[in-house]
Amino acid sequence: SNKENFLIDEEYYKEVDENGKEKIKSRKKDEIKRNFRLNYKDDLYDEGLDNIFSKEAINKWLFEDTKDITLKSVYEKLVSLFKKYIYLDDERKYSLLACYRIAGFFMPIWRARARLFLYAEMGSAKSRLTQIMHNTGFNSIALGDWTLAYLQRLIESTRGETHIDDFETLDDDKKNATTRLVKTGFMKGFKAGKISDGKNRKPETYDLFNTTTLNNTEGLDFISTDRCITIRIPKISKKEYDKEP
């Protein structure tokens, strides 16, 4: 890297990047990132994940003028967004979704993190809500074709969110992997383990503690349900909700 850093005082320093552009950075915010072990995705993930919260967006929020961005303003925008695209029969559910969404950006402070389970009939916009949760998530990925090994490495390396659509249509391997993610990854410190492949077989463990959303039309088993916050989405035929975000 050709970056150069120049100390301004104990609180701030100046960084000059490879293009000669100068930025003032806060030493305190760097310390917060280290203390809370926030793993912002690198350029690979900017290229590889379809996610509106890119590394650039997160850095802007951290290091530039964000006086207008408060938790209250984000909460209100999220509530407005959910109301625009999803019909829920209880106003409190919009608040719950907004709080759940915001909490995903503060994973290091939680001891447990319930999964969000969206339970609804076909045509009730559960896939749309899952997509909104993905689009506004931290290091988020909407899973289509994947393996448990990929899932384990993704979460451990990026603390990324996982959003799984139409759980009942998955094959048995993916269903089992998703159930493991729900049951094991809901609490900090729980690990998923396996024996490695190859000649030198040895135990491997992975931390699956992250934010996860899943949906289906059939419900979940009792233990999985116990690990989830369940939002029941009523089916409604109103044109104002028949649009994609």
Side-chain angles (χ1 to χ4, degrees):
S1 173
N2 296 322
K3 290 183 179 179
E4 296 183 62
N5 296 331
F6 301 92
L7 181 66
I8 296 176
D9 56 32
E10 291 183 1
E11 189 78 21
Y12 297 94
Y13 65 93
K14 180 168 68 175
E15 179 181 281
V16 181
D17 64 19
E18 55 269 19
N19 299 316
K21 187 176 180 181
E22 294 184 357
K23 284 187 176 180
I24 305 298
K25 291 200 168 185
S26 163
R27 197 171 292 280
K28 186 174 181 180
K29 286 181 178 176
D30 284 352
E31 184 180 342
I32 291 171
K33 286 173 66 178
R34 286 193 302 273
N35 289 346
F36 283 92
R37 299 184 296 280
L38 296 176
N39 299 324
Y40 302 125
K41 62 187 176 205
D42 57 23
D43 293 336
L44 167 68
Y45 285 97
D46 274 345
E47 297 285 333
L49 300 186
D50 177 18
N51 188 333
I52 62 168
F53 265 104
S54 65
K55 182 182 68 173
E56 181 182 352
I58 293 171
N59 282 339
K60 180 179 178 64
W61 195 340
L62 279 173
F63 297 123
E64 297 182 22
D65 184 7
T66 56
K67 292 177 182 177
D68 294 333
I69 301 178
T70 64
L71 285 180
K72 183 173 185 289
S73 68
V74 172
Y75 166 82
E76 289 172 347
K77 286 180 181 179
L78 285 168
V79 168
S80 175
L81 178 72
F82 293 132
K83 285 184 175 182
K84 182 177 180 181
Y85 293 106
I86 306 293
Y87 171 77
L88 297 172
D89 54 353
D90 188 333
E91 284 281 320
R92 293 172 298 177
K93 290 181 180 179
Y94 295 111
S95 294
L96 188 152
L97 285 171
C99 290
Y100 186 89
R101 174 65 288 153
I102 291 170
F105 286 81
F106 298 90
M107 284 299 292
I109 71 173
W110 309 120
R111 184 182 67 86
R113 176 71 165 146
R115 279 61 181 92
L116 181 65
F117 174 50
L118 307 175
Y119 184 32
E121 296 178 48
M122 293 290 291
S124 302
K126 63 185 185 306
S127 295
R128 183 186 306 157
L129 181 51
T130 301
Q131 187 67 31
I132 293 173
M133 299 303 287
H134 160 59
N135 284 349
T136 54
F138 177 79
N139 283 1
S140 176
I141 183 166
L143 292 170
D145 189 15
W146 45 275
T147 64
L148 179 59
Y150 171 77
L151 197 63
Q152 291 168 331
R153 285 167 175 79
L154 173 79
I155 294 171
E156 181 124 319
S157 62
T158 70
R159 285 285 168 257
E161 297 185 6
T162 45
H163 303 280
I164 300 166
D165 193 23
D166 293 331
F167 171 73
E168 71 269 33
T169 66
L170 300 176
D171 61 39
D172 287 342
D173 286 345
K174 290 182 178 62
K175 277 187 177 179
N176 291 335
T178 301
T179 301
R180 197 174 183 189
L181 171 62
V182 169
K183 292 179 178 178
T184 305
F186 83 102
M187 184 171 288
K188 186 181 293 184
F190 281 14
K191 303 281 186 178
K194 69 166 192 168
I195 300 297
S196 64
D197 299 325
K199 290 182 179 179
N200 299 320
R201 294 167 64 82
K202 59 182 181 180
E204 293 180 351
T205 59
Y206 294 92
D207 185 355
L208 294 177
F209 184 59
N210 81 329
T211 294
T212 289
T213 303
L214 68 158
N215 70 60
N216 75 12
T217 61
E218 300 175 351
L220 300 172
D221 66 86
F222 174 76
I223 295 177
S224 295
T225 301
D226 192 51
R227 305 285 192 261
C228 293
I229 294 171
T230 300
I231 296 285
R232 179 76 168 170
I233 306 176
K235 190 168 185 176
I236 183 171
S237 298
K238 284 191 176 181
K239 286 188 176 181
E240 63 261 40
Y241 294 105
D242 189 20
K243 54 184 178 288
E244 292 302 316

